[in-house]
Amino acid sequence: LVESEAVDHLDRLALLVEAYARAERNTQGIALVDEALAFVTQIGESYWNAEFYRAKGDMLLASAADAVEIERCYQAALETARQQGAKSLELRAAVSLARLWQAQGKVGHAQHLLAGIYDWFSEGSDTPDLREAGALGQPPAVAGGRDLGGPVRGYNVEVIIADDGST
């Protein structure tokens, strides 16, 4: 593929991964992430890797997969975002990992992780990702003790997935 075609293909894969996650078609979504990561390795373009790893972790979590594998995906997303200097993607990965850690009772770890990235942002505190990071980073009494988990967030797209997997 020509470079621009490869990037367009990755963009489409990212949108389809998000669509599968929203449709709770986790098995297909995980397989697509694996395909996308293999393609990324082939072409040497890693822009989407952090989101691919985070989405895979979210879909594994929704599928009640092994917590070690889920954490591995979130850690890979976090490390990739840090290497790229992509603070928004780092925040999203940190929120996903913190949510997992809180569910495992590792509240202190979650708060420490989020404090480091949350404090970096000086604007946009009303964005969903920063609001969630702020709430997850607070002690449970401050957060109101409510479940702050929720659906996978990402692109605001609507893709219809047929039962045969076509879009």
Side-chain angles (χ1 to χ4, degrees):
L1 293 172
V2 176
E3 185 175 336
S4 65
E5 291 174 343
V7 171
D8 287 345
H9 182 63
L10 280 174
D11 290 346
R12 284 190 299 278
L13 287 174
L15 291 172
L16 282 172
V17 165
E18 181 70 21
Y20 279 132
R22 286 176 182 257
E24 298 179 6
R25 308 270 303 261
N26 297 317
T27 302
Q28 290 114 327
I30 292 166
L32 190 60
V33 167
D34 291 339
E35 175 187 324
L37 290 170
F39 182 67
V40 162
T41 300
Q42 177 185 350
I43 66 167
E45 174 61 56
S46 62
Y47 176 78
W48 283 109
N49 283 15
E51 276 297 281
F52 285 143
Y53 283 119
R54 188 191 61 77
K56 183 175 181 178
D58 286 348
M59 289 183 282
L60 287 168
L61 181 63
S63 301
D66 178 57
V68 173
E69 186 178 0
I70 296 165
E71 184 168 345
R72 193 175 305 130
C73 287
Y74 290 151
Q75 291 283 6
L78 192 59
E79 183 60 30
T80 301
R82 285 177 176 159
Q83 288 172 354
Q84 294 174 335
K87 290 294 188 182
S88 292
L89 297 180
E90 183 181 344
L91 175 67
R92 296 187 84 205
V95 165
S96 292
L97 181 56
R99 197 180 312 124
L100 175 68
W101 281 350
Q102 281 197 344
Q104 295 172 335
K106 301 176 186 176
V107 176
H109 291 333
Q111 291 171 340
H112 179 75
L113 172 66
L114 290 171
I117 183 69
Y118 184 82
D119 291 342
W120 185 87
F121 290 88
S122 60
E123 296 178 6
S125 61
D126 59 340
T127 64
D129 289 332
L130 278 172
R131 279 198 314 265
E132 184 172 11
L136 285 169
Q138 297 296 318
V142 175
R146 62 182 188 264
D147 177 13
L148 298 171
V152 176
R153 282 190 295 285
Y155 295 95
N156 189 15
V157 297
E158 187 169 327
V159 177
I160 307 299
I161 302 171
D163 286 337
D164 66 358
S166 63
T167 56

